């Protein structure tokens, strides 16, 4: 099992150095301060923030909080090794219907939209 730390834009460089000592797997970069949930645009300082994290923690970086679209996926793919869309996946499951089959089929379509830009 890996120790996946969450870091935020407000995490200090001193704290990033401490986290680097025990983190394993990857580092979850929370893209915004505040609560999770999809947003129209990602934070304007996300590239600088992601670089700061990478300078201290030599693990893959995955960005989450606020991601919900193919455009977010593409943007994050240029500056990090992973994109996390937890809240949006939950919303998509709720929209998909009541059966496991319907939900699975819808999530498969959603993943194709996110990763390849295939319209839903």
């Amino acid at each position: 099992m890996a120790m996946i730390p969450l870091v935020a834009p407000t995490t200090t460089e001193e704290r990033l150095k401490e986290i680097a000592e025990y983190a394993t797997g990857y580092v979850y970069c929370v893209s915004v301060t505040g609560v999770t949930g999809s947003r129209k645009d990602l934070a304007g300082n996300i590239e600088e923030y992601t670089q700061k994290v990478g300078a201290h923690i030599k693990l893959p970086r995955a960005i989450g909080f606020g991601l919900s679209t193919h455009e977010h996926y593409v943007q994050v793919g240029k500056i990090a090794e992973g994109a996390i869309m937890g809240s949006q996946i939950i919303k998509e499951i709720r929209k998909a219907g009541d059966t496991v089959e319907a939900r699975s089929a819808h999530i498969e379509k959603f993943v194709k939209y996110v990763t390849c830009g295939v319209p839903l």
Side-chain angles (χ1 to χ4, degrees):
M1 187 176 314
M3 172 55 191
I4 312 295
L6 272 73
V7 299
T10 56
T11 304
T12 65
E13 292 198 33
E14 181 180 303
R15 182 76 177 123
L16 288 173
K17 291 175 188 174
E18 290 175 22
I19 291 169
E21 293 179 22
Y22 65 81
T24 60
Y26 67 94
V27 60
Y28 189 131
C29 298
V30 177
S31 65
V32 295
T33 54
V35 297
T36 187
S38 58
R39 290 166 173 77
K40 182 179 175 192
D41 297 311
L42 298 180
N45 66 341
I46 196 161
E47 186 171 355
E48 178 184 331
Y49 157 57
T50 306
Q51 288 173 349
K52 179 177 89 170
V53 172
H56 294 286
I57 303 173
K58 304 302 181 195
L59 292 171
R61 295 155 298 172
I63 297 175
F65 277 51
L67 280 65
S68 61
T69 67
H70 171 70
E71 292 75 16
H72 291 160
Y73 174 81
V74 170
Q75 184 180 354
V76 165
K78 293 176 183 176
I79 58 174
E81 293 73 36
I84 300 169
M85 294 189 181
S87 294
Q88 190 61 38
I89 292 288
I90 298 301
K91 288 179 185 178
E92 296 299 325
I93 290 169
R94 288 180 179 149
K95 290 193 302 190
D98 294 331
T99 68
V100 171
E101 293 80 12
R103 290 175 175 179
S104 295
H106 183 72
I107 292 303
E108 184 176 341
K109 289 178 186 176
F110 179 71
V111 169
K112 286 180 183 176
Y113 156 69
V114 168
T115 60
C116 303
V118 175
L120 283 172

